[in-house]
Amino acid sequence: MLTVVSCETKDVTQFTDEALNDSFTDLSGNTVTFKDILERNKGKTMVLEVWASWCSDCIKGMPKLKKLQEDYKNVVYVFLSLDRNHGAWKRGIEKYNVVGQHYFMESGREGAFGSFADLNWIPRYMVIDENGQIKLFEAIEADDKNIAEVLK
């Protein structure tokens, strides 16, 4: 029997066209693409979190997220929700006082963005630079040392 173990992390620096064109819904009910979200934040560093209000690890990680937001105030925080419906999503934002830009992932985990990101766990964090390039493709804790490293 042969077992192969790899500690290699994905070195992805750009979004695919499919991921860029995936549709999301903002809090006002408008449909936007991921490309629109990047464009809105051009010139700013973004921390992106994929989360859901039903996700216990997401909720347990909120204090770490709030600490990250406290430590890096000049960063834009974008939240992509995998909640089951818009009502649960909006209630979760309010209940957990999640501060940042919010979008509902209409296509879900299996959609173009979810497939690109290989969403096998949430919460899931990415760091995107001011030019829309991915600086950190994958972290599952807001206090991951790699997040702080790329935000310096």
Side-chain angles (χ1 to χ4, degrees):
M1 174 155 90
L2 175 66
T3 304
V4 178
V5 178
S6 173
C7 295
E8 183 181 320
T9 58
K10 293 186 180 183
D11 194 24
V12 179
T13 60
Q14 293 190 335
F15 292 97
T16 62
D17 286 341
E18 294 82 8
L20 289 170
N21 290 309
D22 200 358
S23 293
F24 298 80
T25 302
D26 68 16
L27 286 170
S28 300
N30 301 311
T31 300
V32 298
T33 64
F34 190 69
K35 187 179 354 182
D36 296 331
I37 296 168
L38 289 178
E39 191 60 37
R40 175 182 179 186
N41 294 295
K42 193 170 179 89
K44 303 171 190 162
T45 299
M46 284 178 15
V47 170
L48 181 140
E49 178 181 356
V50 180
W51 78 296
S53 64
W54 51 260
C55 165
S56 63
D57 286 335
C58 299
I59 304 316
K60 285 185 225 164
M62 285 292 170
K64 294 175 186 178
L65 171 70
K66 297 207 185 290
K67 173 83 169 96
L68 184 70
Q69 289 179 313
E70 203 176 285
D71 292 347
Y72 298 94
K73 291 180 166 74
N74 60 332
V75 173
V76 173
Y77 294 86
V78 174
F79 298 90
L80 306 180
S81 173
L82 283 174
D83 271 293
R84 293 182 176 95
N85 60 60
H86 288 208
W89 166 50
K90 290 178 178 180
R91 284 189 301 275
I93 293 167
E94 191 172 320
K95 179 177 182 178
Y96 300 109
N97 191 29
V98 185
V99 178
Q101 297 176 24
H102 296 278
Y103 301 93
F104 186 84
M105 293 181 67
E106 291 297 341
S107 64
R109 190 181 299 239
E110 263 80 74
F113 185 89
S115 296
F116 164 79
D118 191 22
L119 292 176
N120 56 5
W121 191 264
I122 59 173
R124 167 66 179 283
Y125 299 91
M126 286 184 190
V127 178
I128 303 161
D129 74 10
E130 56 280 347
N131 299 311
Q133 299 294 303
I134 302 167
K135 289 300 182 190
L136 178 65
F137 183 70
E138 185 173 11
I140 59 169
E141 298 278 348
D143 63 352
D144 185 309
K145 65 180 173 31
N146 293 317
I147 294 175
E149 192 61 38
V150 296
L151 290 177
K152 286 182 182 177

